[in-house]
Amino acid sequence: MGSRRKPYWRTFGTPKTLVLYRTPNQWRFALHFEAPTAHGALDHPAPSCEPETAQAALHRRAEELTHRELEVSWQPTDQPDWWTGVVTKTGPLSAADH
């Protein structure tokens, strides 16, 4: 019999912080969990959009990756075009994931 592996969202848990930063060509991000970090680029929105639009896109991406609702509080950092989101509250795993 094969072993049953836990889905990645159960292994990683819930991110503690979200980092968002603008580059000339796209918005980049990092999701910091207890141990691992997930990082990548947002396909949308465009790098010229307002930070709030990119923050909402990353928030949705984090919820899709973790299969739960997240409350995130965003703050600017001391670096231009960088923002940090702190996860302040998490919802339960979606019903389909139990």
Side-chain angles (χ1 to χ4, degrees), residues 28-86:
R28 306 278 308 165
F29 69 88
L31 302 176
H32 296 275
F33 296 85
E34 271 307 313
T37 299
H39 56 88
L42 297 174
D43 295 330
H44 299 286
S48 60
C49 79
E50 292 298 316
E52 294 80 13
T53 303
Q55 289 167 358
L58 178 54
H59 188 158
R60 281 190 305 277
R61 167 78 62 89
E63 288 182 335
E64 290 169 2
L65 289 173
T66 60
H67 292 241
R68 63 182 70 224
E69 291 182 11
L70 304 171
E71 251 181 54
V72 179
S73 173
W74 289 96
Q75 297 109 23
T77 68
D78 56 358
Q79 298 181 46
D81 287 334
W82 283 67
W83 293 265
T84 300
V86 176

